[in-house]
Amino acid sequence: MKKYLFIKIFLLLGLGVFFANSFITPMDSDQSIRTVLRNTTKKTSVRNLAQKDNVDIKRILSIDPEDYEEIRYYKSSDIMNADEFLMVKFKSHDDWDKFRDSISKHVKKIEDIYEDYKPKEGKKIKEYTLCIKGNFGFYYVGEDASVVIAQFKDALGG
Protein backbone atom coordinates (compact mmCIF):
# COMPACT_ATOMS: atom_id res chain seq x y z
CA MET A 1 0.00 0.00 0.00
CA LYS A 2 2.82 2.42 0.86
CA LYS A 3 4.43 1.56 -2.46
CA TYR A 4 1.36 2.75 -4.40
CA LEU A 5 1.11 5.90 -2.30
CA PHE A 6 4.77 6.67 -3.06
CA ILE A 7 4.16 6.15 -6.81
CA LYS A 8 1.07 8.42 -6.75
CA ILE A 9 2.97 11.17 -4.95
CA PHE A 10 5.90 10.83 -7.34
CA LEU A 11 3.59 11.06 -10.39
CA LEU A 12 1.74 14.08 -8.98
CA LEU A 13 5.01 15.88 -8.27
CA GLY A 14 6.24 15.07 -11.77
CA LEU A 15 3.07 16.45 -13.33
CA GLY A 16 3.26 19.52 -11.09
CA VAL A 17 6.83 20.26 -12.20
CA PHE A 18 5.88 19.74 -15.85
CA PHE A 19 2.92 22.12 -15.70
CA ALA A 20 4.76 24.70 -13.60
CA ASN A 21 7.56 24.80 -16.16
CA SER A 22 5.04 25.33 -18.95
CA PHE A 23 3.54 28.35 -17.18
CA ILE A 24 6.80 29.87 -15.94
CA THR A 25 8.64 29.82 -19.28
CA PRO A 26 7.57 32.81 -21.38
CA MET A 27 5.74 31.83 -24.53
CA ASP A 28 7.54 32.62 -27.75
CA SER A 29 5.64 34.19 -30.61
CA ASP A 30 5.80 32.99 -34.19
CA GLN A 31 4.76 36.43 -35.48
CA SER A 32 7.12 38.37 -37.70
CA ILE A 33 8.88 41.39 -36.27
CA ARG A 34 7.02 43.48 -38.85
CA THR A 35 3.64 42.49 -37.40
CA VAL A 36 4.68 43.01 -33.77
CA LEU A 37 6.31 46.33 -34.67
CA ARG A 38 3.22 47.59 -36.50
CA ASN A 39 0.97 46.70 -33.56
CA THR A 40 3.39 48.12 -30.99
CA THR A 41 3.88 51.48 -32.64
CA LYS A 42 0.34 52.39 -33.70
CA LYS A 43 -0.94 55.58 -32.05
CA THR A 44 2.60 56.68 -31.10
CA SER A 45 5.26 59.07 -32.36
CA VAL A 46 7.56 56.12 -33.16
CA ARG A 47 6.18 56.19 -36.68
CA ASN A 48 7.88 59.59 -37.19
CA LEU A 49 11.36 58.13 -36.66
CA ALA A 50 13.65 57.17 -39.54
CA GLN A 51 14.53 53.52 -40.02
CA LYS A 52 18.26 52.78 -39.81
CA ASP A 53 20.17 49.96 -41.46
CA ASN A 54 22.46 47.30 -40.01
CA VAL A 55 25.55 49.49 -40.42
CA ASP A 56 23.90 52.20 -38.30
CA ILE A 57 22.86 49.61 -35.72
CA LYS A 58 26.48 48.51 -35.33
CA ARG A 59 27.83 52.08 -35.36
CA ILE A 60 25.29 53.73 -33.07
CA LEU A 61 24.27 50.91 -30.71
CA SER A 62 27.35 48.65 -30.90
CA ILE A 63 24.99 45.71 -31.51
CA ASP A 64 25.67 43.04 -34.10
CA PRO A 65 22.40 42.43 -36.00
CA GLU A 66 23.59 38.92 -36.86
CA ASP A 67 23.15 38.00 -33.17
CA TYR A 68 19.36 38.30 -33.53
CA GLU A 69 16.77 36.57 -35.66
CA GLU A 70 15.36 39.95 -36.74
CA ILE A 71 16.10 43.53 -35.73
CA ARG A 72 14.64 46.97 -36.51
CA TYR A 73 16.03 50.31 -35.38
CA TYR A 74 14.45 53.75 -35.73
CA LYS A 75 16.00 57.05 -34.70
CA SER A 76 15.08 60.69 -35.01
CA SER A 77 16.59 62.43 -38.03
CA ASP A 78 17.20 65.47 -35.81
CA ILE A 79 20.54 64.93 -34.07
CA MET A 80 19.38 67.03 -31.11
CA ASN A 81 16.40 64.74 -30.53
CA ALA A 82 17.19 61.60 -28.51
CA ASP A 83 14.09 59.62 -29.56
CA GLU A 84 14.90 56.10 -30.74
CA PHE A 85 13.26 52.71 -30.91
CA LEU A 86 14.83 49.28 -31.28
CA MET A 87 12.97 45.99 -31.56
CA VAL A 88 14.60 42.58 -31.72
CA LYS A 89 13.40 39.04 -32.19
CA PHE A 90 15.73 36.81 -30.20
CA LYS A 91 17.19 33.59 -31.55
CA SER A 92 17.27 32.27 -27.98
CA HIS A 93 16.31 33.38 -24.48
CA ASP A 94 20.04 33.22 -23.72
CA ASP A 95 20.38 36.48 -25.68
CA TRP A 96 18.30 38.51 -23.21
CA ASP A 97 21.22 39.46 -20.97
CA LYS A 98 23.43 40.44 -23.90
CA PHE A 99 20.63 42.69 -25.17
CA ARG A 100 20.17 44.33 -21.76
CA ASP A 101 23.93 44.91 -21.42
CA SER A 102 24.23 46.43 -24.90
CA ILE A 103 21.36 48.83 -24.25
CA SER A 104 22.74 49.78 -20.83
CA LYS A 105 26.13 50.66 -22.37
CA HIS A 106 24.46 52.64 -25.15
CA VAL A 107 22.30 54.61 -22.70
CA LYS A 108 25.29 55.48 -20.51
CA LYS A 109 27.18 56.68 -23.58
CA ILE A 110 24.45 58.99 -24.91
CA GLU A 111 23.16 60.13 -21.53
CA ASP A 112 26.21 62.29 -20.87
CA ILE A 113 26.09 63.82 -24.34
CA TYR A 114 22.48 64.98 -24.15
CA GLU A 115 22.48 65.89 -20.47
CA ASP A 116 24.89 68.78 -21.01
CA TYR A 117 23.37 70.19 -24.21
CA LYS A 118 19.69 69.31 -24.05
CA PRO A 119 18.59 68.54 -20.47
CA LYS A 120 15.05 67.68 -21.59
CA GLU A 121 16.43 65.02 -23.95
CA GLY A 122 18.80 63.81 -21.23
CA LYS A 123 15.81 63.28 -18.95
CA LYS A 124 14.05 61.23 -21.64
CA ILE A 125 17.14 59.04 -21.97
CA LYS A 126 17.29 58.46 -18.21
CA GLU A 127 13.66 57.31 -18.35
CA TYR A 128 14.21 54.89 -21.23
CA THR A 129 12.09 51.78 -21.57
CA LEU A 130 13.39 48.25 -22.01
CA CYS A 131 10.90 45.42 -22.23
CA ILE A 132 11.35 41.73 -23.03
CA LYS A 133 8.57 39.24 -23.55
CA GLY A 134 9.19 35.74 -24.88
CA ASN A 135 11.38 35.98 -27.95
CA PHE A 136 10.86 39.73 -28.51
CA GLY A 137 12.38 42.74 -26.84
CA PHE A 138 12.43 46.46 -27.37
CA TYR A 139 14.22 49.58 -26.21
CA TYR A 140 12.54 52.97 -26.45
CA VAL A 141 13.38 56.58 -25.71
CA GLY A 142 10.52 58.99 -26.28
CA GLU A 143 7.06 60.11 -25.26
CA ASP A 144 4.20 57.74 -24.44
CA ALA A 145 6.36 54.89 -23.15
CA SER A 146 3.44 53.40 -21.22
CA VAL A 147 1.37 53.28 -24.43
CA VAL A 148 4.22 51.55 -26.29
CA ILE A 149 4.62 48.97 -23.51
CA ALA A 150 0.88 48.23 -23.42
CA GLN A 151 0.70 47.87 -27.21
CA PHE A 152 3.80 45.63 -27.20
CA LYS A 153 2.26 43.31 -24.65
CA ASP A 154 -1.05 43.29 -26.54
CA ALA A 155 0.75 42.55 -29.81
CA LEU A 156 2.23 39.45 -28.19
CA GLY A 157 -1.01 38.33 -26.61
CA GLY A 158 -1.14 40.04 -23.23
Side-chain angles (χ1 to χ4, degrees):
M1 203 61 163
K2 286 184 180 183
K3 183 179 177 182
Y4 292 116
L5 180 61
F6 176 74
I7 291 173
K8 285 180 183 179
I9 291 172
F10 182 75
L11 287 174
L12 285 173
L13 285 174
L15 282 172
V17 169
F18 173 76
F19 284 116
N21 191 35
S22 296
F23 292 113
I24 291 171
T25 304
M27 297 297 291
D28 287 347
S29 174
D30 60 350
Q31 296 183 68
S32 71
I33 198 168
R34 186 177 190 180
T35 302
V36 176
L37 186 63
R38 183 173 6 98
N39 292 330
T40 299
T41 59
K42 62 185 175 189
K43 302 177 189 172
T44 66
S45 60
V46 173
R47 293 186 178 259
N48 300 330
L49 303 177
Q51 184 171 358
K52 302 298 181 179
D53 62 15
N54 286 352
V55 174
D56 288 326
I57 293 170
K58 285 181 181 178
R59 182 178 56 82
I60 298 169
L61 299 171
S62 301
I63 289 177
D64 186 358
E66 299 297 319
D67 291 343
Y68 302 94
E69 189 171 320
E70 294 182 81
I71 188 166
R72 297 290 186 279
Y73 178 53
Y74 300 84
K75 183 161 179 52
S76 174
S77 300
D78 178 2
I79 196 165
M80 296 308 289
N81 184 330
D83 291 5
E84 58 186 351
F85 181 84
L86 172 71
M87 181 174 282
V88 299
K89 185 172 184 179
F90 298 106
K91 290 180 181 177
S92 160
H93 292 195
D94 297 334
D95 298 331
W96 290 356
D97 289 334
K98 181 171 48 172
F99 178 68
R100 283 188 190 108
D101 291 345
S102 296
I103 295 304
S104 179
K105 288 176 188 172
H106 170 69
V107 167
K108 285 179 185 174
K109 183 174 75 175
I110 65 171
E111 193 174 47
D112 294 335
I113 296 168
Y114 280 101
E115 197 169 50
D116 292 337
Y117 296 104
K118 297 275 283 197
K120 182 180 175 186
E121 298 301 305
K123 184 174 187 258
K124 277 199 293 190
I125 294 166
K126 284 181 180 179
E127 297 170 353
Y128 76 95
T129 301
L130 179 73
C131 189
I132 295 174
K133 183 168 183 190
N135 57 335
F136 280 91
F138 80 88
Y139 154 72
Y140 176 61
V141 172
E143 305 293 324
D144 304 324
S146 60
V147 173
V148 175
I149 292 169
Q151 290 178 162
F152 175 70
K153 290 179 178 177
D154 287 345
L156 294 173

